């Protein structure tokens, strides 16, 4: 099992297909009416936040200035909104996040540096934590 050490814990990395599939199965269990067990975000806001952070972590979008100065761990732990808080569609955001996860699995051979593995471990941990907050 491919893992990365973060804060003295071994964390799965996102680009391994079996790890990604586990996250995708959990996402399948999430619905717009699923209530959070921790935090204040609803399911749609959580999906949007996760997708935006994945896009930023892997260079799909450019981070706002304050985020560009954060370490990868602090970046994923930040709960600040990255973009506008305009209402989003749950199903579109869920599909967007699932497509991002699949994209990273397919692009894995091109991203084999230790920094990229660290990014993917933080991404996995971030997604895992947020899905756990929603009981999936």
């Amino acid at each position: 099992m491919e893992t990365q050490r973060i804060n003295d814990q071994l964390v799965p990395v996102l680009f391994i297909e079996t790890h990604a599939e586990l996250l995708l199965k959990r996402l399948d269990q999430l619905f717009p009416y699923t209530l959070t067990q921790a935090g204040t975000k609803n399911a749609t806001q959580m999906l949007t936040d996760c997708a935006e952070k994945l896009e930023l972590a892997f260079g799909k979008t450019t981070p706002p200035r304050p985020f560009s100065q954060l370490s990868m761990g602090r970046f994923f732990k930040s709960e600040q909104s990255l973009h506008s808080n305009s209402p989003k569609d749950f199903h579109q955001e869920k599909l967007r996040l699932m497509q991002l996860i699949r994209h990273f699995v397919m692009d894995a051979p091109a991203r084999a540096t230790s920094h990229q593995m660290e990014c993917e471990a933080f991404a996995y941990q971030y997604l895992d934590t947020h899905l756990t907050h929603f009981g999936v």
Side-chain angles (χ1 to χ4, degrees), residues 19-85:
H19 300 169
E21 286 301 319
L22 289 172
L23 290 173
L24 292 170
K25 285 180 184 177
R26 291 170 66 189
L27 277 169
D28 271 340
Q29 299 172 22
L30 188 69
F31 299 98
Y33 52 80
T34 306
L35 298 176
T36 183
Q37 299 168 1
T40 59
K41 293 179 184 171
N42 64 36
T44 305
Q45 292 168 326
M46 181 271 294
L47 292 171
T48 301
D49 181 56
C50 289
E52 288 174 348
K53 287 202 175 162
L54 282 182
E55 288 172 342
L56 285 169
F58 298 107
K60 294 262 181 221
T61 58
T62 306
R65 186 150 179 83
F67 282 97
S68 63
Q69 300 167 352
L70 295 177
S71 70
M72 198 48 56
R74 287 180 48 217
F75 169 76
F76 275 105
K77 290 177 185 168
S78 172
E79 288 299 323
Q80 295 173 340
S81 177
L82 299 175
H83 300 289
S84 74
N85 288 329

Side-chain angles (χ1 to χ4, degrees), residues 11 18 25 42 45 49 64 66 78 88 100 105 108 115:
V11 178
T18 54
K25 285 180 184 177
N42 64 36
Q45 292 168 326
D49 181 56
S78 172
K88 308 280 185 190
L100 282 166
V105 171
H115 174 72

